[in-house]
Amino acid sequence: MSALICGSMAYDTIMVFPDQFKNHILPDKVHILNVSFLVPRMRREFGGCAGNIAYNLRLLGDDPVPMATVGQDFGPYRQWFAEHGIRMDQIRELPELFTAQAFITTDLDDNQITAFHPGAMMRSHENHVRDVPGVSFGIVAPDGRDAMLQHASEFKAAGIPFIFDPGQALPLFSGEEFRHFIDQADYVVVNDYESNLLQERTGYDEATIAGKVRAYIVTQGPKGSRIHTQGAVHDIPPAHERRITDPTGCGDAYRAGLIFGLMRDYDLPTCGRMASLMGALKIEHPGTQNQRFTWAEFAEQFRQQFGTTL
């Protein structure tokens, strides 16, 4: 049985401005802002939540099924996934549109200016969870608004356990809609900032959310993560990376480790540690899909980090 990964697939174009934005933006002239930044360094990465989660699950030896809508420029991404043996039967290509993409410019202070083009992602509701056979687990990750609402409803109707991961889609929904997502989901995963925002929107505290799902998981960056259940709170220690190269995509790697563990009935503390290690292995590499390891290497790293075997 496979995990259905509902979410975005995107290209990330990342550029570095070798100066500080503040030196070129006049505060008293922002009403007539017209600036241009020379960016001698640029790279293009494969990204999007569904793409990143599927890639990380494949590293663990799983057979994920990413579900997304993409555009006429998907060719290089398709080849990348083919090289890694990742299924693409639930990826719908819309030739009249472009694949979603982010254009990110970072200055020397790590400030960022990002332009995001959703492209084909805005029609991701044309895919249906109910049409995919052989699915035993799922995740509703950031995607088009209508798609996220629809996918959650169809997972629930099919009796398929799933994770609700609002992420950067948090601004798209009302408190009532978030409460409905929580009522449908089996797990909710957010970072600590998103947790505060979700609580503010819903009027629920952590204990209330945990009481409505099997687990409410809050990541805390270098501090690790916390898994809240109806009867306990599990503090998950961070895995220790050998070097910090690029944090982009660590959250998606964490979610892949969580999904892998949950599908194999590991207990929640073990699932959290697997997820933590996935994030640490990702942060050692640039981009979101450039880390490589085998299951044996992952299991050995887990033993060294946490003192137990998988």
Side-chain angles (χ1 to χ4, degrees):
M1 303 293 277
S2 300
L4 183 61
I5 315 301
C6 304
S8 62
M9 297 193 68
Y11 290 112
D12 296 330
T13 301
I14 302 166
M15 296 159 282
V16 178
F17 176 53
D19 200 340
Q20 298 166 305
F21 293 142
K22 66 183 181 182
N23 293 334
H24 301 268
I25 297 176
L26 303 175
D28 60 337
K29 301 293 183 183
V30 292
H31 62 292
I32 53 170
L33 186 66
N34 188 348
V35 294
S36 177
F37 301 111
L38 178 66
V39 287
R41 290 169 52 197
M42 184 182 85
R43 70 179 192 270
R44 196 184 198 201
E45 301 283 358
F46 301 112
C49 297
N52 296 339
I53 294 170
Y55 177 85
N56 281 280
L57 274 167
R58 188 61 182 156
L59 287 178
L60 289 169
D62 208 351
D63 183 28
V65 184
M67 189 165 77
T69 45
V70 299
Q72 59 186 261
D73 53 346
F74 187 63
Y77 211 147
R78 181 177 294 278
Q79 181 178 347
W80 174 254
F81 263 24
E83 290 172 358
H84 291 85
I86 298 172
R87 287 174 55 178
M88 289 177 282
D89 51 285
Q90 298 303 319
I91 296 176
R92 182 191 298 257
E93 192 167 327
L94 304 174
E96 69 274 22
L97 297 171
F98 289 105
T99 302
Q101 41 205 297
F103 300 89
I104 305 164
T105 304
T106 303
D107 75 357
L108 295 182
D109 289 335
D110 287 331
N111 296 309
Q112 290 187 332
I113 297 175
T114 299
F116 181 72
H117 173 66
M121 188 186 79
M122 297 305 293
R123 287 173 55 185
S124 51
H125 59 277
E126 295 180 9
N127 292 324
H128 287 276
V129 168
R130 65 181 183 228
D131 294 337
V132 188
V135 171
S136 59
F137 198 88
I139 183 169
V140 176
D143 203 352
R145 170 187 155 79
D146 291 344
M148 293 179 71
L149 291 165
Q150 173 182 284
H151 297 336
S153 177
E154 293 187 5
F155 273 127
K156 180 67 174 179
I160 299 170
F162 75 96
I163 292 170
F164 174 51
D165 169 23
Q168 60 263 42
L170 270 165
L172 301 180
F173 303 103
S174 67
E176 181 179 351
E177 287 167 331
F178 279 127
R179 289 190 289 271
H180 190 50
F181 274 123
I182 293 167
D183 287 340
Q184 295 177 109
D186 296 86
Y187 305 90
V188 176
V189 184
V190 289
N191 64 31
D192 45 6
Y193 176 80
E194 294 162 354
S195 177
N196 290 328
L197 188 55
L198 185 62
Q199 291 174 64
E200 180 183 304
R201 292 280 181 87
T202 60
Y204 294 160
D205 59 16
E206 289 178 334
T208 301
I209 297 173
K212 293 177 177 293
V213 294
R214 297 186 192 179
Y216 179 46
I217 299 130
V218 182
T219 62
Q220 300 172 312
K223 296 180 181 178
S225 55
R226 302 192 86 188
I227 300 179
H228 303 259
T229 68
Q230 293 185 32
V233 177
H234 304 283
D235 287 307
I236 308 301
H240 300 290
E241 66 282 341
R242 290 165 291 193
R243 59 187 177 277
I244 297 176
T245 300
D246 181 2
T248 309
C250 286
D252 293 330
Y254 182 100
R255 284 147 179 78
L258 193 65
I259 292 169
F260 187 87
L262 291 171
M263 289 182 67
R264 285 155 182 80
D265 295 323
Y266 285 102
D267 59 52
L268 285 170
T270 300
C271 290
R273 285 165 171 78
M274 294 175 75
S276 181
L277 179 55
M278 287 296 291
L281 292 172
K282 205 300 325 156
I283 205 171
E284 296 173 355
H285 299 80
T288 58
Q289 298 181 28
N290 293 314
Q291 65 276 26
R292 304 283 181 87
F293 52 82
T294 65
W295 168 253
E297 291 168 337
F298 179 83
E300 175 58 20
Q301 279 285 317
F302 188 93
R303 185 192 66 77
Q304 291 181 21
Q305 293 263 1
F306 302 114
T308 58
T309 58
L310 291 171

